Amino acid sequence: MASYFTHELDRAMTIRPLAPLGVRTREMNLYRRYFDLVAAGRKTIEVRVQYPNLRKLTAGDHIRFICGRDDVLTQVKRVARYSSFDEMLDAEGPSNVNPDSPRDQQLANIRRIYGPEKEALGVLAIEITLVTPAEPGV
């Protein structure tokens, strides 16, 4: 019978699912309310502004969303670019961005996070899907 040290068990229980080799994985922080929606598979569009480090984001890339000690691995299905948050919400549908908030509240919340100077950089709508962790022994 094998014996395990506590730190080995802790490591085994908290290991993060890996993205396939050769695939770019980015880490992005999320507020808890949005993280929980992503982790539940209910939020399928993540909104960001077009910072230079996100301009090369493409379908097939992986994003690990982090909130405190929690994380969830997703895969990018599509990246759409818009000139404003209004345009993005009209095209993507508010329920895909946040199924628990009406459009006007979402717009106000997004604009509290990103001011007008950030919105002027351009808006990204990143369609994501959850990556199921591999089963033990697979």
Side-chain angles (χ1 to χ4, degrees):
M1 178 118 169
S3 69
Y4 295 94
F5 292 100
T6 303
H7 69 277
E8 291 172 322
L9 285 174
D10 286 346
R11 184 181 165 281
M13 297 300 286
T14 60
I15 195 160
R16 295 176 173 178
L18 298 175
L21 290 175
V23 177
R24 179 187 349 224
T25 301
R26 299 174 185 270
E27 290 190 351
M28 295 183 184
N29 291 307
L30 274 180
Y31 291 113
R32 174 58 61 184
R33 64 181 170 213
Y34 304 124
F35 178 87
D36 290 343
L37 290 170
V38 168
R42 297 182 59 223
K43 178 176 170 57
T44 59
I45 301 290
E46 173 58 13
V47 178
R48 297 286 165 137
V49 295
Q50 266 192 98
Y51 291 122
N53 66 323
L54 295 179
R55 288 192 182 131
K56 293 183 182 179
L57 187 67
T58 187
D61 288 350
H62 286 77
I63 301 172
R64 182 177 310 284
F65 289 103
I66 299 170
C67 181
R69 297 185 70 184
D70 297 328
D71 68 271
V72 63
L73 184 65
T74 65
Q75 184 171 21
V76 176
K77 291 175 68 176
R78 162 182 77 84
V79 179
R81 288 163 172 78
Y82 299 98
S83 60
S84 71
F85 296 123
D86 276 311
E87 180 186 7
M88 181 275 305
L89 285 170
D90 289 344
E92 299 295 334
S95 64
N96 294 317
V97 176
N98 184 344
D100 293 341
S101 292
R103 184 190 188 284
D104 59 336
Q105 184 179 5
Q106 287 185 51
L107 187 58
N109 289 341
I110 292 169
R111 287 192 167 141
R112 267 194 291 277
I113 296 169
Y114 298 113
E117 72 285 352
K118 301 294 185 191
E119 185 174 4
L121 296 172
V123 175
L124 296 178
I126 307 165
E127 185 176 1
I128 54 173
T129 186
L130 290 173
V131 173
T132 306
E135 296 296 323
V138 174

